[in-house]
PDB file of all heavy atoms in Angstrom:
ATOM      1  N   VAL A 349     -28.938  18.759 -10.666  1.00 71.00           N
ATOM      2  CA  VAL A 349     -28.647  20.168 -10.425  1.00 71.00           C
ATOM      3  C   VAL A 349     -29.839  20.787  -9.675  1.00 71.00           C
ATOM      4  O   VAL A 349     -30.974  20.644 -10.117  1.00 71.00           O
ATOM      5  CB  VAL A 349     -28.460  20.899 -11.772  1.00 71.00           C
ATOM      6  CG1 VAL A 349     -28.218  22.369 -11.538  1.00 71.00           C
ATOM      7  CG2 VAL A 349     -27.313  20.268 -12.533  1.00 71.00           C
ATOM      8  N   MET A 351     -32.667  23.235  -8.441  1.00 70.00           N
ATOM      9  CA  MET A 351     -33.403  24.288  -9.132  1.00 70.00           C
ATOM     10  C   MET A 351     -33.101  25.636  -8.485  1.00 70.00           C
ATOM     11  O   MET A 351     -32.729  25.710  -7.313  1.00 70.00           O
ATOM     12  CB  MET A 351     -34.898  24.006  -9.055  1.00 70.00           C
ATOM     13  CG  MET A 351     -35.278  22.660  -9.629  1.00 70.00           C
ATOM     14  SD  MET A 351     -35.126  22.606 -11.401  1.00 70.00           S
ATOM     15  CE  MET A 351     -36.644  23.391 -11.872  1.00 70.00           C
ATOM     16  N   VAL A 353     -35.137  27.976  -7.648  1.00 75.00           N
ATOM     17  CA  VAL A 353     -36.110  28.419  -6.646  1.00 75.00           C
ATOM     18  C   VAL A 353     -36.486  27.194  -5.807  1.00 75.00           C
ATOM     19  O   VAL A 353     -37.300  26.379  -6.228  1.00 75.00           O
ATOM     20  CB  VAL A 353     -37.372  29.017  -7.299  1.00 75.00           C
ATOM     21  CG1 VAL A 353     -38.298  29.567  -6.233  1.00 75.00           C
ATOM     22  CG2 VAL A 353     -36.983  30.115  -8.285  1.00 75.00           C
ATOM     23  N   GLU A 366     -51.537  30.388  -5.740  1.00 88.00           N
ATOM     24  CA  GLU A 366     -51.780  30.750  -7.141  1.00 88.00           C
ATOM     25  C   GLU A 366     -51.266  29.679  -8.077  1.00 88.00           C
ATOM     26  O   GLU A 366     -51.757  29.529  -9.194  1.00 88.00           O
ATOM     27  CB  GLU A 366     -51.139  32.109  -7.457  1.00 88.00           C
ATOM     28  CG  GLU A 366     -49.617  32.142  -7.345  1.00 88.00           C
ATOM     29  CD  GLU A 366     -49.095  33.573  -7.343  1.00 88.00           C
ATOM     30  OE1 GLU A 366     -49.860  34.490  -7.025  1.00 88.00           O
ATOM     31  OE2 GLU A 366     -47.898  33.749  -7.628  1.00 88.00           O
ATOM     32  N   VAL A 383     -51.894  36.955 -14.638  1.00 92.00           N
ATOM     33  CA  VAL A 383     -51.415  35.812 -13.886  1.00 92.00           C
ATOM     34  C   VAL A 383     -49.901  35.847 -13.791  1.00 92.00           C
ATOM     35  O   VAL A 383     -49.249  36.220 -14.757  1.00 92.00           O
ATOM     36  CB  VAL A 383     -51.858  34.475 -14.523  1.00 92.00           C
ATOM     37  CG1 VAL A 383     -53.335  34.258 -14.346  1.00 92.00           C
ATOM     38  CG2 VAL A 383     -51.472  34.410 -15.984  1.00 92.00           C
ATOM     39  N   PRO A 384     -49.351  35.416 -12.668  1.00 91.00           N
ATOM     40  CA  PRO A 384     -50.039  35.162 -11.407  1.00 91.00           C
ATOM     41  C   PRO A 384     -50.209  36.472 -10.623  1.00 91.00           C
ATOM     42  O   PRO A 384     -49.501  37.441 -10.899  1.00 91.00           O
ATOM     43  CB  PRO A 384     -49.096  34.220 -10.675  1.00 91.00           C
ATOM     44  CG  PRO A 384     -47.740  34.643 -11.153  1.00 91.00           C
ATOM     45  CD  PRO A 384     -47.913  35.103 -12.599  1.00 91.00           C
ATOM     46  N   HIS A 388     -48.202  40.758 -10.151  1.00 92.00           N
ATOM     47  CA  HIS A 388     -48.983  41.827 -10.769  1.00 92.00           C
ATOM     48  C   HIS A 388     -49.744  42.639  -9.721  1.00 92.00           C
ATOM     49  O   HIS A 388     -50.957  42.508  -9.597  1.00 92.00           O
ATOM     50  CB  HIS A 388     -49.953  41.249 -11.801  1.00 92.00           C
ATOM     51  CG  HIS A 388     -49.277  40.791 -13.045  1.00 92.00           C
ATOM     52  ND1 HIS A 388     -48.690  41.643 -13.948  1.00 92.00           N
ATOM     53  CD2 HIS A 388     -49.057  39.554 -13.539  1.00 92.00           C
ATOM     54  CE1 HIS A 388     -48.158  40.965 -14.935  1.00 92.00           C
ATOM     55  NE2 HIS A 388     -48.356  39.685 -14.717  1.00 92.00           N
ATOM     56  N   MET A 392     -51.722  44.895 -15.717  1.00 94.00           N
ATOM     57  CA  MET A 392     -50.689  45.127 -16.728  1.00 94.00           C
ATOM     58  C   MET A 392     -51.262  45.841 -17.955  1.00 94.00           C
ATOM     59  O   MET A 392     -50.507  46.310 -18.798  1.00 94.00           O
ATOM     60  CB  MET A 392     -49.996  43.826 -17.129  1.00 94.00           C
ATOM     61  CG  MET A 392     -50.853  42.837 -17.872  1.00 94.00           C
ATOM     62  SD  MET A 392     -49.863  41.378 -18.327  1.00 94.00           S
ATOM     63  CE  MET A 392     -51.027  40.551 -19.393  1.00 94.00           C
ATOM     64  N   GLN A 411     -51.982  29.429 -28.831  1.00 98.00           N
ATOM     65  CA  GLN A 411     -51.574  30.616 -29.597  1.00 98.00           C
ATOM     66  C   GLN A 411     -50.246  30.337 -30.291  1.00 98.00           C
ATOM     67  O   GLN A 411     -50.069  30.599 -31.466  1.00 98.00           O
ATOM     68  CB  GLN A 411     -51.472  31.800 -28.636  1.00 98.00           C
ATOM     69  CG  GLN A 411     -50.660  32.982 -29.122  1.00 98.00           C
ATOM     70  CD  GLN A 411     -51.314  33.738 -30.259  1.00 98.00           C
ATOM     71  OE1 GLN A 411     -50.635  34.261 -31.146  1.00 98.00           O
ATOM     72  NE2 GLN A 411     -52.630  33.808 -30.255  1.00 98.00           N
ATOM     73  N   THR A 412     -49.306  29.784 -29.541  1.00 98.00           N
ATOM     74  CA  THR A 412     -48.037  29.358 -30.130  1.00 98.00           C
ATOM     75  C   THR A 412     -47.406  28.362 -29.178  1.00 98.00           C
ATOM     76  O   THR A 412     -47.855  28.195 -28.045  1.00 98.00           O
ATOM     77  CB  THR A 412     -47.114  30.553 -30.428  1.00 98.00           C
ATOM     78  OG1 THR A 412     -45.955  30.095 -31.157  1.00 98.00           O
ATOM     79  CG2 THR A 412     -46.654  31.234 -29.164  1.00 98.00           C
ATOM     80  N   PHE A 413     -46.367  27.675 -29.632  1.00 97.00           N
ATOM     81  CA  PHE A 413     -45.783  26.631 -28.799  1.00 97.00           C
ATOM     82  C   PHE A 413     -44.354  26.341 -29.256  1.00 97.00           C
ATOM     83  O   PHE A 413     -43.937  26.771 -30.341  1.00 97.00           O
ATOM     84  CB  PHE A 413     -46.620  25.338 -28.868  1.00 97.00           C
ATOM     85  CG  PHE A 413     -46.499  24.643 -30.204  1.00 97.00           C
ATOM     86  CD1 PHE A 413     -45.592  23.597 -30.375  1.00 97.00           C
ATOM     87  CD2 PHE A 413     -47.257  25.048 -31.281  1.00 97.00           C
ATOM     88  CE1 PHE A 413     -45.463  22.971 -31.614  1.00 97.00           C
ATOM     89  CE2 PHE A 413     -47.117  24.427 -32.516  1.00 97.00           C
ATOM     90  CZ  PHE A 413     -46.227  23.390 -32.687  1.00 97.00           C
ATOM     91  N   VAL A 414     -43.649  25.604 -28.428  1.00 97.00           N
ATOM     92  CA  VAL A 414     -42.341  25.081 -28.788  1.00 97.00           C
ATOM     93  C   VAL A 414     -42.274  23.648 -28.283  1.00 97.00           C
ATOM     94  O   VAL A 414     -43.118  23.218 -27.503  1.00 97.00           O
ATOM     95  CB  VAL A 414     -41.186  25.898 -28.143  1.00 97.00           C
ATOM     96  CG1 VAL A 414     -41.312  27.365 -28.491  1.00 97.00           C
ATOM     97  CG2 VAL A 414     -41.164  25.707 -26.638  1.00 97.00           C
ATOM     98  N   VAL A 415     -41.272  22.918 -28.734  1.00 96.00           N
ATOM     99  CA  VAL A 415     -40.988  21.609 -28.148  1.00 96.00           C
ATOM    100  C   VAL A 415     -39.530  21.612 -27.747  1.00 96.00           C
ATOM    101  O   VAL A 415     -38.630  21.656 -28.598  1.00 96.00           O
ATOM    102  CB  VAL A 415     -41.260  20.458 -29.131  1.00 96.00           C
ATOM    103  CG1 VAL A 415     -40.978  19.118 -28.458  1.00 96.00           C
ATOM    104  CG2 VAL A 415     -42.702  20.512 -29.630  1.00 96.00           C
ATOM    105  N   ASN A 416     -39.303  21.605 -26.444  1.00 94.00           N
ATOM    106  CA  ASN A 416     -37.944  21.734 -25.944  1.00 94.00           C
ATOM    107  C   ASN A 416     -37.269  20.369 -25.901  1.00 94.00           C
ATOM    108  O   ASN A 416     -37.737  19.454 -25.229  1.00 94.00           O
ATOM    109  CB  ASN A 416     -37.973  22.364 -24.547  1.00 94.00           C
ATOM    110  CG  ASN A 416     -36.662  23.016 -24.195  1.00 94.00           C
ATOM    111  OD1 ASN A 416     -35.623  22.675 -24.752  1.00 94.00           O
ATOM    112  ND2 ASN A 416     -36.705  23.953 -23.271  1.00 94.00           N
ATOM    113  N   HIS A 417     -36.185  20.248 -26.625  1.00 93.00           N
ATOM    114  CA  HIS A 417     -35.462  18.972 -26.682  1.00 93.00           C
ATOM    115  C   HIS A 417     -34.242  18.953 -25.780  1.00 93.00           C
ATOM    116  O   HIS A 417     -33.525  17.953 -25.712  1.00 93.00           O
ATOM    117  CB  HIS A 417     -34.991  18.704 -28.122  1.00 93.00           C
ATOM    118  CG  HIS A 417     -36.111  18.427 -29.084  1.00 93.00           C
ATOM    119  ND1 HIS A 417     -36.505  17.171 -29.423  1.00 93.00           N
ATOM    120  CD2 HIS A 417     -36.927  19.273 -29.755  1.00 93.00           C
ATOM    121  CE1 HIS A 417     -37.516  17.231 -30.277  1.00 93.00           C
ATOM    122  NE2 HIS A 417     -37.786  18.500 -30.499  1.00 93.00           N
ATOM    123  N   ARG A 439     -54.332  34.801 -21.087  1.00 95.00           N
ATOM    124  CA  ARG A 439     -53.234  34.150 -21.813  1.00 95.00           C
ATOM    125  C   ARG A 439     -52.272  33.587 -20.776  1.00 95.00           C
ATOM    126  O   ARG A 439     -51.964  34.226 -19.789  1.00 95.00           O
ATOM    127  CB  ARG A 439     -52.533  35.155 -22.718  1.00 95.00           C
ATOM    128  CG  ARG A 439     -51.435  34.549 -23.580  1.00 95.00           C
ATOM    129  CD  ARG A 439     -51.004  35.505 -24.682  1.00 95.00           C
ATOM    130  NE  ARG A 439     -51.920  35.465 -25.815  1.00 95.00           N
ATOM    131  CZ  ARG A 439     -51.728  36.161 -26.954  1.00 95.00           C
ATOM    132  NH1 ARG A 439     -50.688  36.951 -27.087  1.00 95.00           N
ATOM    133  NH2 ARG A 439     -52.596  36.066 -27.935  1.00 95.00           N
ATOM    134  N   ILE A 454     -50.589  25.091 -33.617  1.00 97.00           N
ATOM    135  CA  ILE A 454     -51.267  26.351 -33.340  1.00 97.00           C
ATOM    136  C   ILE A 454     -52.749  26.167 -33.623  1.00 97.00           C
ATOM    137  O   ILE A 454     -53.127  25.557 -34.622  1.00 97.00           O
ATOM    138  CB  ILE A 454     -50.671  27.479 -34.214  1.00 97.00           C
ATOM    139  CG1 ILE A 454     -49.293  27.889 -33.669  1.00 97.00           C
ATOM    140  CG2 ILE A 454     -51.608  28.695 -34.257  1.00 97.00           C
ATOM    141  CD1 ILE A 454     -48.574  28.910 -34.509  1.00 97.00           C
ATOM    142  N   TYR A 465     -44.611  18.537 -11.371  1.00 87.00           N
ATOM    143  CA  TYR A 465     -43.523  19.090 -12.164  1.00 87.00           C
ATOM    144  C   TYR A 465     -42.202  18.394 -11.865  1.00 87.00           C
ATOM    145  O   TYR A 465     -41.397  18.135 -12.740  1.00 87.00           O
ATOM    146  CB  TYR A 465     -43.359  20.587 -11.885  1.00 87.00           C
ATOM    147  CG  TYR A 465     -44.378  21.468 -12.553  1.00 87.00           C
ATOM    148  CD1 TYR A 465     -44.357  22.841 -12.338  1.00 87.00           C
ATOM    149  CD2 TYR A 465     -45.357  20.965 -13.393  1.00 87.00           C
ATOM    150  CE1 TYR A 465     -45.260  23.686 -12.949  1.00 87.00           C
ATOM    151  CE2 TYR A 465     -46.266  21.789 -13.993  1.00 87.00           C
ATOM    152  CZ  TYR A 465     -46.226  23.153 -13.777  1.00 87.00           C
ATOM    153  OH  TYR A 465     -47.130  23.983 -14.376  1.00 87.00           O
ATOM    154  N   GLU A 468     -38.308  18.198  -5.922  1.00 83.00           N
ATOM    155  CA  GLU A 468     -37.133  19.029  -5.717  1.00 83.00           C
ATOM    156  C   GLU A 468     -36.738  19.037  -4.269  1.00 83.00           C
ATOM    157  O   GLU A 468     -37.538  19.388  -3.404  1.00 83.00           O
ATOM    158  CB  GLU A 468     -37.434  20.470  -6.163  1.00 83.00           C
ATOM    159  CG  GLU A 468     -37.511  20.590  -7.657  1.00 83.00           C
ATOM    160  CD  GLU A 468     -38.018  21.938  -8.062  1.00 83.00           C
ATOM    161  OE1 GLU A 468     -37.912  22.879  -7.263  1.00 83.00           O
ATOM    162  OE2 GLU A 468     -38.543  22.041  -9.177  1.00 83.00           O
TER     163      GLU A 468
ATOM    164  N   LEU B 129     -30.390  24.644 -16.407  1.00 67.00           N
ATOM    165  CA  LEU B 129     -31.387  24.411 -15.368  1.00 67.00           C
ATOM    166  C   LEU B 129     -31.599  25.671 -14.536  1.00 67.00           C
ATOM    167  O   LEU B 129     -32.720  26.008 -14.183  1.00 67.00           O
ATOM    168  CB  LEU B 129     -30.966  23.247 -14.486  1.00 67.00           C
ATOM    169  CG  LEU B 129     -32.127  22.665 -13.703  1.00 67.00           C
ATOM    170  CD1 LEU B 129     -33.159  22.094 -14.649  1.00 67.00           C
ATOM    171  CD2 LEU B 129     -31.647  21.604 -12.750  1.00 67.00           C
ATOM    172  N   ALA B 133     -35.289  27.637 -14.011  1.00 60.00           N
ATOM    173  CA  ALA B 133     -35.939  27.580 -12.700  1.00 60.00           C
ATOM    174  C   ALA B 133     -35.834  28.882 -11.926  1.00 60.00           C
ATOM    175  O   ALA B 133     -36.107  28.915 -10.749  1.00 60.00           O
ATOM    176  CB  ALA B 133     -35.317  26.465 -11.884  1.00 60.00           C
ATOM    177  N   HIS B 136     -40.462  33.352 -11.098  1.00 73.00           N
ATOM    178  CA  HIS B 136     -41.624  32.774 -10.416  1.00 73.00           C
ATOM    179  C   HIS B 136     -41.520  31.254 -10.454  1.00 73.00           C
ATOM    180  O   HIS B 136     -41.176  30.686 -11.501  1.00 73.00           O
ATOM    181  CB  HIS B 136     -42.912  33.222 -11.100  1.00 73.00           C
ATOM    182  CG  HIS B 136     -44.134  32.847 -10.311  1.00 73.00           C
ATOM    183  ND1 HIS B 136     -44.707  31.603 -10.399  1.00 73.00           N
ATOM    184  CD2 HIS B 136     -44.874  33.547  -9.417  1.00 73.00           C
ATOM    185  CE1 HIS B 136     -45.759  31.557  -9.588  1.00 73.00           C
ATOM    186  NE2 HIS B 136     -45.872  32.727  -8.987  1.00 73.00           N
ATOM    187  N   TYR B 139     -44.349  30.020 -13.331  1.00 67.00           N
ATOM    188  CA  TYR B 139     -44.711  30.577 -14.619  1.00 67.00           C
ATOM    189  C   TYR B 139     -43.578  30.643 -15.629  1.00 67.00           C
ATOM    190  O   TYR B 139     -43.802  30.921 -16.782  1.00 67.00           O
ATOM    191  CB  TYR B 139     -45.401  31.933 -14.456  1.00 67.00           C
ATOM    192  CG  TYR B 139     -46.785  31.693 -13.949  1.00 67.00           C
ATOM    193  CD1 TYR B 139     -47.109  31.832 -12.620  1.00 67.00           C
ATOM    194  CD2 TYR B 139     -47.768  31.231 -14.815  1.00 67.00           C
ATOM    195  CE1 TYR B 139     -48.374  31.547 -12.161  1.00 67.00           C
ATOM    196  CE2 TYR B 139     -49.037  30.933 -14.366  1.00 67.00           C
ATOM    197  CZ  TYR B 139     -49.338  31.098 -13.041  1.00 67.00           C
ATOM    198  OH  TYR B 139     -50.586  30.796 -12.604  1.00 67.00           O
ATOM    199  N   ARG B 141     -41.153  28.040 -15.446  1.00 75.00           N
ATOM    200  CA  ARG B 141     -40.486  26.740 -15.277  1.00 75.00           C
ATOM    201  C   ARG B 141     -40.263  26.105 -16.652  1.00 75.00           C
ATOM    202  O   ARG B 141     -41.106  26.176 -17.515  1.00 75.00           O
ATOM    203  CB  ARG B 141     -41.368  25.853 -14.430  1.00 75.00           C
ATOM    204  CG  ARG B 141     -40.744  24.557 -14.028  1.00 75.00           C
ATOM    205  CD  ARG B 141     -41.490  23.989 -12.863  1.00 75.00           C
ATOM    206  NE  ARG B 141     -41.147  24.730 -11.661  1.00 75.00           N
ATOM    207  CZ  ARG B 141     -40.270  24.306 -10.770  1.00 75.00           C
ATOM    208  NH1 ARG B 141     -39.666  23.165 -10.944  1.00 75.00           N
ATOM    209  NH2 ARG B 141     -40.015  25.015  -9.709  1.00 75.00           N
ATOM    210  N   THR B 144     -35.939  27.419 -20.783  1.00 86.00           N
ATOM    211  CA  THR B 144     -34.553  27.681 -21.139  1.00 86.00           C
ATOM    212  C   THR B 144     -34.540  28.780 -22.191  1.00 86.00           C
ATOM    213  O   THR B 144     -35.589  29.150 -22.737  1.00 86.00           O
ATOM    214  CB  THR B 144     -33.921  26.404 -21.715  1.00 86.00           C
ATOM    215  OG1 THR B 144     -34.726  25.912 -22.768  1.00 86.00           O
ATOM    216  CG2 THR B 144     -33.814  25.326 -20.629  1.00 86.00           C
ATOM    217  N   VAL B 147     -36.585  28.738 -25.378  1.00 93.00           N
ATOM    218  CA  VAL B 147     -38.034  28.769 -25.172  1.00 93.00           C
ATOM    219  C   VAL B 147     -38.559  30.217 -25.250  1.00 93.00           C
ATOM    220  O   VAL B 147     -39.711  30.449 -25.562  1.00 93.00           O
ATOM    221  CB  VAL B 147     -38.408  28.135 -23.815  1.00 93.00           C
ATOM    222  CG1 VAL B 147     -39.875  28.319 -23.498  1.00 93.00           C
ATOM    223  CG2 VAL B 147     -38.054  26.650 -23.820  1.00 93.00           C
ATOM    224  N   PRO B 151     -41.176  30.337 -29.585  1.00 97.00           N
ATOM    225  CA  PRO B 151     -42.628  30.536 -29.833  1.00 97.00           C
ATOM    226  C   PRO B 151     -42.885  31.572 -30.915  1.00 97.00           C
ATOM    227  O   PRO B 151     -43.899  31.514 -31.616  1.00 97.00           O
ATOM    228  CB  PRO B 151     -43.163  31.011 -28.494  1.00 97.00           C
ATOM    229  CG  PRO B 151     -42.177  30.562 -27.478  1.00 97.00           C
ATOM    230  CD  PRO B 151     -40.839  30.592 -28.172  1.00 97.00           C
ATOM    231  N   THR B 154     -42.456  29.755 -34.261  1.00 98.00           N
ATOM    232  CA  THR B 154     -43.641  28.954 -34.580  1.00 98.00           C
ATOM    233  C   THR B 154     -44.748  29.829 -35.162  1.00 98.00           C
ATOM    234  O   THR B 154     -45.353  29.501 -36.181  1.00 98.00           O
ATOM    235  CB  THR B 154     -44.156  28.268 -33.300  1.00 98.00           C
ATOM    236  OG1 THR B 154     -43.074  27.596 -32.652  1.00 98.00           O
ATOM    237  CG2 THR B 154     -45.260  27.264 -33.617  1.00 98.00           C
ATOM    238  N   ARG B 155     -44.973  30.967 -34.529  1.00 98.00           N
ATOM    239  CA  ARG B 155     -46.081  31.838 -34.946  1.00 98.00           C
ATOM    240  C   ARG B 155     -45.738  32.590 -36.243  1.00 98.00           C
ATOM    241  O   ARG B 155     -46.600  32.799 -37.094  1.00 98.00           O
ATOM    242  CB  ARG B 155     -46.406  32.812 -33.804  1.00 98.00           C
ATOM    243  CG  ARG B 155     -47.700  33.552 -33.966  1.00 98.00           C
ATOM    244  CD  ARG B 155     -48.916  32.702 -33.589  1.00 98.00           C
ATOM    245  NE  ARG B 155     -50.085  33.150 -34.334  1.00 98.00           N
ATOM    246  CZ  ARG B 155     -51.320  32.652 -34.170  1.00 98.00           C
ATOM    247  NH1 ARG B 155     -51.556  31.701 -33.307  1.00 98.00           N
ATOM    248  NH2 ARG B 155     -52.314  33.099 -34.897  1.00 98.00           N
ATOM    249  N   VAL B 201     -33.151  21.559 -30.927  1.00 95.00           N
ATOM    250  CA  VAL B 201     -32.904  22.096 -29.583  1.00 95.00           C
ATOM    251  C   VAL B 201     -34.224  22.467 -28.945  1.00 95.00           C
ATOM    252  O   VAL B 201     -34.550  22.057 -27.830  1.00 95.00           O
ATOM    253  CB  VAL B 201     -31.961  23.309 -29.635  1.00 95.00           C
ATOM    254  CG1 VAL B 201     -31.981  24.073 -28.308  1.00 95.00           C
ATOM    255  CG2 VAL B 201     -30.540  22.858 -29.958  1.00 95.00           C
ATOM    256  N   CYS B 202     -34.993  23.253 -29.650  1.00 96.00           N
ATOM    257  CA  CYS B 202     -36.291  23.691 -29.147  1.00 96.00           C
ATOM    258  C   CYS B 202     -37.139  23.995 -30.384  1.00 96.00           C
ATOM    259  O   CYS B 202     -37.043  25.073 -30.927  1.00 96.00           O
ATOM    260  CB  CYS B 202     -36.134  24.908 -28.241  1.00 96.00           C
ATOM    261  SG  CYS B 202     -37.664  25.406 -27.446  1.00 96.00           S
ATOM    262  N   HIS B 203     -37.900  23.005 -30.783  1.00 96.00           N
ATOM    263  CA  HIS B 203     -38.671  23.115 -32.020  1.00 96.00           C
ATOM    264  C   HIS B 203     -39.393  24.453 -32.097  1.00 96.00           C
ATOM    265  O   HIS B 203     -40.032  24.849 -31.127  1.00 96.00           O
ATOM    266  CB  HIS B 203     -39.705  21.992 -32.084  1.00 96.00           C
ATOM    267  CG  HIS B 203     -40.689  22.142 -33.217  1.00 96.00           C
ATOM    268  ND1 HIS B 203     -40.414  21.726 -34.493  1.00 96.00           N
ATOM    269  CD2 HIS B 203     -41.915  22.711 -33.244  1.00 96.00           C
ATOM    270  CE1 HIS B 203     -41.458  22.011 -35.263  1.00 96.00           C
ATOM    271  NE2 HIS B 203     -42.374  22.607 -34.541  1.00 96.00           N
ATOM    272  N   HIS B 247     -43.892  43.982 -20.847  1.00 94.00           N
ATOM    273  CA  HIS B 247     -44.169  42.948 -19.863  1.00 94.00           C
ATOM    274  C   HIS B 247     -43.234  41.783 -20.138  1.00 94.00           C
ATOM    275  O   HIS B 247     -43.119  41.338 -21.277  1.00 94.00           O
ATOM    276  CB  HIS B 247     -45.625  42.499 -19.951  1.00 94.00           C
ATOM    277  CG  HIS B 247     -46.588  43.642 -19.825  1.00 94.00           C
ATOM    278  ND1 HIS B 247     -46.702  44.389 -18.673  1.00 94.00           N
ATOM    279  CD2 HIS B 247     -47.481  44.163 -20.712  1.00 94.00           C
ATOM    280  CE1 HIS B 247     -47.622  45.326 -18.855  1.00 94.00           C
ATOM    281  NE2 HIS B 247     -48.107  45.216 -20.077  1.00 94.00           N
ATOM    282  N   TYR B 249     -42.945  38.419 -19.164  1.00 91.00           N
ATOM    283  CA  TYR B 249     -43.236  36.988 -19.363  1.00 91.00           C
ATOM    284  C   TYR B 249     -43.911  36.750 -20.714  1.00 91.00           C
ATOM    285  O   TYR B 249     -44.636  37.597 -21.229  1.00 91.00           O
ATOM    286  CB  TYR B 249     -44.117  36.451 -18.225  1.00 91.00           C
ATOM    287  CG  TYR B 249     -43.392  36.356 -16.922  1.00 91.00           C
ATOM    288  CD1 TYR B 249     -43.408  37.424 -16.029  1.00 91.00           C
ATOM    289  CD2 TYR B 249     -42.702  35.206 -16.582  1.00 91.00           C
ATOM    290  CE1 TYR B 249     -42.733  37.336 -14.814  1.00 91.00           C
ATOM    291  CE2 TYR B 249     -42.030  35.114 -15.368  1.00 91.00           C
ATOM    292  CZ  TYR B 249     -42.054  36.178 -14.487  1.00 91.00           C
ATOM    293  OH  TYR B 249     -41.395  36.093 -13.302  1.00 91.00           O
ATOM    294  N   HIS B 251     -46.352  34.850 -21.523  1.00 92.00           N
ATOM    295  CA  HIS B 251     -47.818  34.823 -21.548  1.00 92.00           C
ATOM    296  C   HIS B 251     -48.404  36.219 -21.439  1.00 92.00           C
ATOM    297  O   HIS B 251     -49.625  36.391 -21.532  1.00 92.00           O
ATOM    298  CB  HIS B 251     -48.359  33.905 -20.443  1.00 92.00           C
ATOM    299  CG  HIS B 251     -48.187  34.441 -19.042  1.00 92.00           C
ATOM    300  ND1 HIS B 251     -47.073  34.204 -18.301  1.00 92.00           N
ATOM    301  CD2 HIS B 251     -49.019  35.172 -18.269  1.00 92.00           C
ATOM    302  CE1 HIS B 251     -47.218  34.776 -17.109  1.00 92.00           C
ATOM    303  NE2 HIS B 251     -48.388  35.371 -17.076  1.00 92.00           N
ATOM    304  N   GLU B 252     -47.545  37.210 -21.263  1.00 93.00           N
ATOM    305  CA  GLU B 252     -48.018  38.588 -21.200  1.00 93.00           C
ATOM    306  C   GLU B 252     -47.837  39.318 -22.534  1.00 93.00           C
ATOM    307  O   GLU B 252     -48.158  40.499 -22.643  1.00 93.00           O
ATOM    308  CB  GLU B 252     -47.263  39.345 -20.092  1.00 93.00           C
ATOM    309  CG  GLU B 252     -47.478  38.729 -18.727  1.00 93.00           C
ATOM    310  CD  GLU B 252     -46.476  39.194 -17.677  1.00 93.00           C
ATOM    311  OE1 GLU B 252     -45.484  39.873 -18.053  1.00 93.00           O
ATOM    312  OE2 GLU B 252     -46.657  38.874 -16.511  1.00 93.00           O
ATOM    313  N   LYS B 253     -47.311  38.601 -23.518  1.00 94.00           N
ATOM    314  CA  LYS B 253     -47.041  39.252 -24.809  1.00 94.00           C
ATOM    315  C   LYS B 253     -48.333  39.467 -25.588  1.00 94.00           C
ATOM    316  O   LYS B 253     -49.228  38.610 -25.583  1.00 94.00           O
ATOM    317  CB  LYS B 253     -46.098  38.372 -25.643  1.00 94.00           C
ATOM    318  CG  LYS B 253     -44.713  38.229 -25.032  1.00 94.00           C
ATOM    319  CD  LYS B 253     -43.996  39.546 -25.000  1.00 94.00           C
ATOM    320  CE  LYS B 253     -42.743  39.468 -24.167  1.00 94.00           C
ATOM    321  NZ  LYS B 253     -42.166  40.779 -23.874  1.00 94.00           N
TER     322      LYS B 253
END
Side-chain angles (χ1 to χ4, degrees):
Chain A
V349 178
M351 303 289 279
V353 185
E366 64 194 21
V383 289
H388 287 292
M392 67 178 189
Q411 162 69 214
T412 187
F413 71 96
V414 305
V415 181
N416 202 337
H417 292 264
R439 184 167 279 184
I454 286 176
Y465 282 178
E468 287 171 22
Chain B
L129 199 63
H136 190 276
Y139 286 99
R141 187 161 286 260
T144 53
V147 173
T154 309
R155 193 79 208 184
V201 166
C202 186
H203 171 84
H247 305 296
Y249 290 91
H251 71 272
E252 300 164 351
K253 295 295 169 192

